[in-house]
Amino acid sequence: MSQPAVAQTPEAKELSLVGKVELRIALTDSEKKLEAMLNTYLAPLLLKLASDYMSVRNKERLDLLPTLVHGLADNYLESKAHTASLFNVLLRLLHHLVLPQRGTSEDLALRVRLGLAEKPRDAEFIATWLGKLTLYNNPTANAKSSPGLSPEDCEFLQVYGKNETWTSDSPNGLNLTETKIVSTKFLSSGAFVERERFIPALFASADSNSRLSTVGDDILKRATPVVSLEDPDLLQQLYDVLIGTRGPMGSLPARKSLQTKILALFCRSKEATTFTSQILQIVREALEPRSQDNATGTSAPKQGLDVSKLKAQIFAFTNWVARVGSEESLKALAPTLVAELRDYIESQGWHRINEESSNVTAAELGSRSFCYESIGLLAKACPGKILVEPNLDLLRWLFVSLACDSTGSDISISIEQALGSVLSAFVLNTDADVEAALTDLLLHNMTLKLGEVAASGIRVIRSTRYVAVRFANRCLPFHNVKARWIDVLALTNGPSERNEVIEEGRRGLDPFWYRNLNPLDDLPAIKRKSPDIPRYQMPEFHALVGLFFMDEKKGALGVHRRLSFGYNPAISFCRGILLHHALASNDRAPVVDVDWKKNIDAVIMNDEIGRKEIMNYLAVRYGTSGAAQTTLLQYIGAIFDGLVDESFKESDVAGNCLLELCSLGPAAVLDKVAPQAPQLRGAIFSNRHASRSIASHVFGILASRERAMTPDIDNMLKIFFTNIEKWHEAIGSQAYEVHGSILATAYWLSRKLFIQNECGLRGSEAVAFIRLIFDILDKSRDKELLSAATLAIDQLSLFGSLSPDAIPSPYSAEALVDKMKLRSEAGDEESILALGHFAMQCAEEEDQKCTLIQIVDTLYSLHEKRHPELQFAVGAALSCAAAGWESKSLIGLQDVAVGSTPRDAARSSILGSILEKVLGDCKTTKPALRQGAVIWLLCMVQYCGHMVEVQTRLRSCQAAFKGFLSDRESLNQETASRGLTLVYERGDRGLKDDLIRDLVGSFTGTNTSLAGNVSNETQLFEPGALPTGDGSVTTYKDIMSLAAEVGDSSLVYRFMSLASNNAIWSSRAAFGRFGLSNILSDSSVDGYLAENPKLYPALYRYRFDPNTNVRNAMNDIWSALVKDPQSIIDKHFDSIMEDLLKNILGKEWRVRQASCAAIADLVQGRAFEKYETYLSRIWTLTFKVCDDIKVSVRKAAMALARVLTADLTRSLEAGQSSRNNVDIMLKEVLPFLLSPSGLESSAQEVQAFALKTLLQIIKSSKAQILRPFVPDLVGRLLALLSSLEPQEINYLHLNADKYGMTGQQIDDIRLGSVKASPMMEAIERCLDMLDEEAMKQLQPSLENALKTTIGLPSRVGVSRVLVSLSTRHNFWFRPYADIFLKLLRRQVLDRNDTISTSFAAASGYVARMASNEALLSLFEYSKKLYFDSGEDEKHRIISAELVSATAKHATDRFNSLASDILPFVFIAKHDSNDRTKDLFNNTWNENVGGARAVLLYLNEIISAASPHLDSPRWSIKHTAAFAIADVVKSAGAEIKTSDAEIIWPALEKAVSGKTWDGKETVLEAFVNFAKHSTLWKSNQNIADQMQSIMLRESKRNNTQYRQHALAHLGDFVEACNNVDWYDRVYPVMEPLIQGLLDDDHDMDVDSKTGGPSSKITSEQTLANAIKTLLRSIDPTFRDHPRLILSLRQTLVLVERTMSRKDRVVMNAVMDGENTLFGKVAKVEHSEDLDATLAEYVATIFSDENGTEPSRTKAAEVAVCLAGSVGRGGLLVERLEHHLTFALSQERSPLIRQVLQSAQKAIRGGS
């Protein structure tokens, strides 16, 4: 017997049906079968998505998908149409697919569940077509084109011609926009990997629909870091979309916005630069868009924002290609691209935008700028083909563009940038043709003038001089003469030229600066100074002169006037080059450094051998006739031109150069120049002192030559003599002529006599001249003439022409000395030197009164003049007096080359005696003499150190100099220090060693033979001379401290040079390079110093001493001693560091400051392992010193801290390469920064820097490095948000009312500052580094912060962290959401409203990931908080904020539990507190649809509200009552009986009880309930109960409530018209009305609650009472006697009421009578009834003078009454009478019309 079949449940049947349909769809093997199958089953299948059974819905959504997606990729190859249909089904299904939340386990498992993990080809196929769907924008039938898609793609998406595919109102159609959105959301799910959804996401992100682009952007942000942009296949796909594919079936280019996005990605890919053909096409289409009807079907770009952005991005991509493209790619791209860009510019209009394009857009100007910049970059990247070629076509074009493009200043900047880009391409050019072409081009651009028309026919509007000079200095070698000519031209305009042009020109004429501009990085620094490098070679002198000073007749620019401000630089540069070649020819080339010219000057002035070598070079090279000599003559002629032009003011430099050449030049050249000497007449008579001096000197040299004796010169000499003879008459310009005549004659005569080898003055003219000179000295008071006479004495004496015997009578040598003494004592250096030179001609005599001794004594006596410059002049004069022409001070004064020196008197003992005298004076105690003596001794050693007398006394000189080291005068100390160095240099090797031993012995006590020992307490400086802030350096002890620390007092000698910047040393070349570095570098002491290990730590620290002198001296010592600083520092690193850490907390502020600076220098650039063990100590001590009492020490400590921070930051940015070091550094640094020594320090500077450092660490760190520290960092930073808040904020908060603010306003400001705080940004950065393990460690730290932090900033910060975790890091935070949601309950109760609101908002965000149980628990907590709050409004507000935040920030979760929370929301939205009400009201409105949605939750609302109607808390009770009232209001115009039965008990309870503010709202709902429901009609008990309630409420004594209750009673009477109400209402109203009328004269009193006054309330009550009474009369329930009775009773009250003439009451009577007469009209009339009604007529027209609205109401009542009258009778008569009278008085047309209609009704009725 068979088993009976088991009946299937409905759920099983539906599952079976779905399974069968899936099987049939899976088994279809052709498009037709599939189409038939879909037509039959698709609609029913989709309906099952709305099945009542969850299992069916899930099967539909997820089980059907694998069936559809499996094998799609293979199906496409077999049948595209079939695949298109399946894909369309997939799209339909996606609309009903509910995806799991992203990041959940369900989401991550979706790929496996759909089977795509096993079939990645299908996943890629689906992602690809979903991406193409995003691009599809043409859903019309048979559409075969869409940007980014091919015709085949469009047909596929259209399901091959199905017209209804994208017709949304078709049964089988889809909405394209919504389909794109659901498809993109599907892409964002776990069904696809990042590589598959990258391109579709890119397409979506560029869509104009924000709903689509937002999702696309989100996917793209997550996918981009994972996808390699160097993948050629990926790039090819993107290029195909970007520019489309060729052919009739090719795809169109993508939309502009998508193209822009793709190009932005290309700008991050080096591989993208290899697609040369595509890049060319992109640029071409950007510059010359193809028309829509061309072969590819590309549409022309639309003008607009997208087009502008696209062009900008194309040019950005072009720049990217130029910067990172490979050489091979650029060779293929650059020539074509440059040509295209250039054509584009020219097509716009070149040299300016076409005039017909009047509306030039900013986009067009931007494109033009980009084009220029791109040309520069591309040309630089591939110079060989397009830039560096003989014609220089492109460069020439760019220069013309710069000069002539009038588009605007922004364009010119782009052109300059392009020229700057291509500049480097010419730097290493070696092609001679290119160099020549470039030179000519630059010269041409230097000569262009603004406003002129260039050779191209274009007007020049912009100078190109700066760019031309810059190119010349960077692209042409230094030996290129035309390049240097360009530099000269840059200087010709002087102050009118731009500063940058002048500066660049000066640099080009300085070989040192040229080399700095053109460094050869592969050469060591010392090699760069070598002249052998071709690029650095000096230009040829003859070529320079030939170009600079070419004969004017040949048309070249060469005279001084045309060169103008460039004249002196040109002369000076040529002079430097000539002398450099001269020295280089003897292997003595001066070092090319910043002092190149000074080095040459020093050789000429002080180096006797070098001077002779120069003279020999000039004689050999230029001494014979030829081209070379012609060149030199041309150069001298150019100088002459400037010197002889009286009006030219720039000739001083040139004059000095000429004077130098006349002194050093070959005789053959000078002989040819000498005849030109008469041309100097104008300069000699110039009103400029410098011109007269130089011209006179040159004249003297030239005119004294044998071949210069021409008639012209003789005439000039006669003129000079004539002028001198008239000296006593000369004034003004004549005095200048006399001055020049004296100088010229003196220079000529002295050299003429020397050349002729004549001893003394011979000839009448010479004697007469010298007599005139002495007359002037004796009698003249003119300073210029006295100066000239003194110089004449000086020159004649110097060259042996004036001796004591040659002085004419009555003058004598003694008188001359006395006269010179007077002038010398007045501070005249010329007189001092003249004495010294005159002494050279005075013979030695035993007589102590001889002239020589008199002169020497005179010089000695000048020590009283405390002017160092004078004493140096005295020293030079003494050296001349003692050694004659043997003195080295005269090296530069012999300007006539005759093979011998001028005559001087023989010397035997005077030098020794002067030395002994000076050495003796060095020991004196007289300050002035001591200073003079030490300076004189220095001069004697310097100028006479080669002589035996000095050599034998070097040891005595050392002793003397040593004695001044303790002098109180700083100048004396410096002089002595330099003197010691000179003594050391003058000695031989043995002497040097002896001197060192003696000096060391004098300080160590082993040898006391040297005088002048110095003790520790010897005062060196005047108090205050070297201030240190808290005192001053006064004793030698301060200077010896370094040696003492080292433990070797012998080092004092090495550290004696406290180099000063005194102007004396810098102004005298002879002393400019003194110092002790030579001693320190000497081998005899080098080893000794190097073997003392204590030296280096102390010396290293002293290099950073705050005192400039000490610092400079120690740096000199260090440089001389330490030849290999790196190895020395590495070797002694530990000892140096220990010394610095020891002294950083020393007693002296200078030591502390120096230690800080030294540590900063020591650790900078050093390997971390080197100072790893010291790091913690360094940080600790650094922060201690940051709070130092001395400001400068604090600054040094902060500088050290910045160095440490920068080093740490660099390590952090280095990432994995320094991972181990960084871990160690962070473990040391972070705890310290967070400790009381850092962020918790009491010093604000320390706090601020610690915070800045910490933020910088967080910002720079890689995630994997900082992640272990994140949990602790977040907690600490949150706590610090409050502690670092300025204390002023707290004061302001407590005293807000004083400043016109509220505490809440201040809290809002504080909240804003927290959100914008750098610390908050750092916290967010830390959160970005979280992973699972870090989140696990963060949980307790954050939980502790939540419980323990105080202060608004920290509390708000915690809430923001929770928000961030919930939104941006929910994957890691989800497991902890329930915990924190529970913890937040207590936090929302914070006393501060801002904090409470912040935590409530955080709860809303956390609720997104909380479980249903946790969320329901939160809702229950909110309810409890609300209903148990008592009268505390704050708790109710918090409850509202919790619910509102959850609804706002976790909408999906809120809606899923709507039935549990919305009833409560509905109740609470009636709260009496405005804030609470608004929050709940907004929540309700945003989560329900329409007012009748209340009925969905009716049971829940009534159940929740009813218990609270009996609440002892008035606010809760009233809220519940209002909610019940609102339920009635929201129920609509018809309340179902079933709903009414639910509502009635609660409504009845709500309206019971005493009166309270707002109860009238509940009573109104009670009346509405009666109007809109029929419950009372079917239930008499309820009807009776309702009537009783209404009558009860109308009897309430509360005056404010009663007026509303009476009105609602009238409404209730109208609604419940099934009974006779008059007998119930009249007993209530009659005494009330009478009472109100009797109280008419009571005083009007204002309401205490701000409501209407007592009078207004009384009037409204009376109005409502009389109106309700009139409405209660219903003729249908009363017979005639009773009706007439009720009418008469009411009439009495009406008449009395109307007598008050109260407008509100009268209007209410009119309304009541209108209602009454309408009812009366429905019953049969009798005479008695009419008679009674006739009495009412008077009440209608009682207010004849009323307002128009009142009269209108009366007319309407009359019309109503007229409609109920019969034929004739009293009623008709009275009504007719009153109407007639009213019409006679009425002027309003409208009212008259109403009254007339009443008349008609009466007359028609009668």
Side-chain angles (χ1 to χ4, degrees), residues 1371-1428:
F1371 185 78
W1372 310 119
F1373 184 62
R1374 187 178 302 277
Y1376 309 96
D1378 287 1
I1379 298 173
F1380 283 100
L1381 190 61
K1382 185 176 181 180
L1383 289 172
L1384 284 169
R1385 294 183 193 177
R1386 294 187 61 185
Q1387 312 310 319
V1388 296
L1389 300 177
D1390 196 280
R1391 290 180 298 175
N1392 186 284
D1393 292 342
T1394 302
I1395 296 174
S1396 176
T1397 303
S1398 298
F1399 279 124
S1403 299
Y1405 281 102
V1406 175
R1408 291 181 177 185
M1409 286 151 296
S1411 63
N1412 287 344
E1413 292 77 11
L1415 198 53
L1416 288 172
S1417 179
L1418 177 68
F1419 291 156
E1420 289 301 321
Y1421 176 76
S1422 298
K1423 295 176 185 178
K1424 186 174 185 296
L1425 201 61
Y1426 185 88
F1427 290 120
D1428 294 349

Side-chain angles (χ1 to χ4, degrees), residues 646-671:
E646 297 180 39
S647 62
F648 188 63
K649 306 299 182 184
E650 300 293 328
S651 61
D652 293 351
V653 174
N656 286 323
C657 291
L658 179 60
L659 179 59
E660 193 173 69
L661 283 174
C662 290
S663 301
L664 303 174
V669 173
L670 297 180
D671 287 342

Side-chain angles (χ1 to χ4, degrees), residues 746-762 766 770 791-807 834 836-842 884-885 890 893-896 898 900-907:
Y747 281 121
W748 168 77
L749 184 60
S750 60
R751 281 140 184 89
K752 184 67 177 178
L753 294 175
F754 169 58
I755 292 172
Q756 294 176 354
N757 198 23
E758 296 184 8
C759 299
L761 293 171
R762 296 184 182 182
I770 196 65
L791 185 65
I793 298 294
D794 178 275
Q795 291 298 312
L796 291 169
S797 301
L798 184 64
F799 282 88
S801 302
L802 181 63
S803 63
D805 298 336
I807 298 176
H837 295 162
F838 181 67
M840 293 168 62
Q841 308 304 324
C842 300
W885 276 96
L890 302 177
L893 300 182
Q894 187 172 352
D895 50 23
V896 181
V898 295
S900 63
T901 59
R903 184 189 67 84
D904 55 6
R907 294 287 181 263

Side-chain angles (χ1 to χ4, degrees), residues 488-499:
V488 172
L489 292 179
L491 302 172
T492 55
N493 292 335
S496 62
E497 186 64 84
R498 289 188 299 169
N499 290 335

Side-chain angles (χ1 to χ4, degrees), residues 1443 1447-1448 1451 1454-1467 1469-1470 1479-1498 1500-1501 1526 1530:
V1443 175
K1448 182 177 180 181
T1451 307
F1454 185 88
N1455 290 336
S1456 67
L1457 301 172
S1459 60
D1460 295 289
I1461 188 61
L1462 282 178
F1464 164 65
V1465 173
F1466 181 82
I1467 295 170
K1469 80 187 185 81
H1470 300 91
L1479 288 170
F1480 278 119
N1481 197 43
N1482 292 337
T1483 303
W1484 173 264
N1485 292 336
E1486 291 170 4
N1487 289 278
V1488 297
R1492 291 185 61 82
V1494 173
L1495 298 178
L1496 294 175
Y1497 307 101
L1498 181 60
E1500 292 85 348
I1501 292 173
D1526 197 8
S1530 302

Side-chain angles (χ1 to χ4, degrees), residues 537-671:
Q537 288 180 355
M538 297 291 176
E540 292 297 331
F541 176 73
H542 67 86
L544 287 175
V545 173
L547 181 60
F548 288 12
F549 312 110
M550 188 182 298
D551 189 351
E552 185 179 3
K553 295 179 181 179
K554 296 181 181 179
L557 181 65
V559 298
H560 62 283
R561 285 194 173 279
R562 291 188 180 178
L563 284 176
S564 186
F565 292 96
Y567 175 74
N568 277 340
I571 293 291
S572 179
F573 181 68
C574 290
R575 175 255 185 187
I577 295 300
L578 175 64
L579 297 179
H580 185 97
H581 283 308
L583 292 171
S585 66
N586 294 285
D587 297 327
R588 291 170 60 91
V591 175
V592 178
D593 57 14
V594 70
D595 293 323
W596 175 66
K597 288 185 179 180
K598 290 183 179 179
N599 295 338
I600 295 176
D601 294 341
V603 172
I604 293 174
M605 294 301 297
N606 303 315
D607 191 334
E608 189 174 6
I609 297 174
R611 187 179 176 90
K612 289 180 179 179
E613 289 176 345
I614 291 174
M615 296 174 67
N616 292 336
Y617 172 83
L618 295 176
V620 171
R621 186 167 180 81
Y622 301 101
T624 58
S625 298
Q629 189 180 87
T630 302
T631 299
L632 186 58
L633 287 171
Q634 189 176 354
Y635 175 56
I636 294 174
I639 301 176
F640 245 96
D641 287 343
L643 189 60
V644 301
D645 189 341
E646 297 180 39
S647 62
F648 188 63
K649 306 299 182 184
E650 300 293 328
S651 61
D652 293 351
V653 174
N656 286 323
C657 291
L658 179 60
L659 179 59
E660 193 173 69
L661 283 174
C662 290
S663 301
L664 303 174
V669 173
L670 297 180
D671 287 342

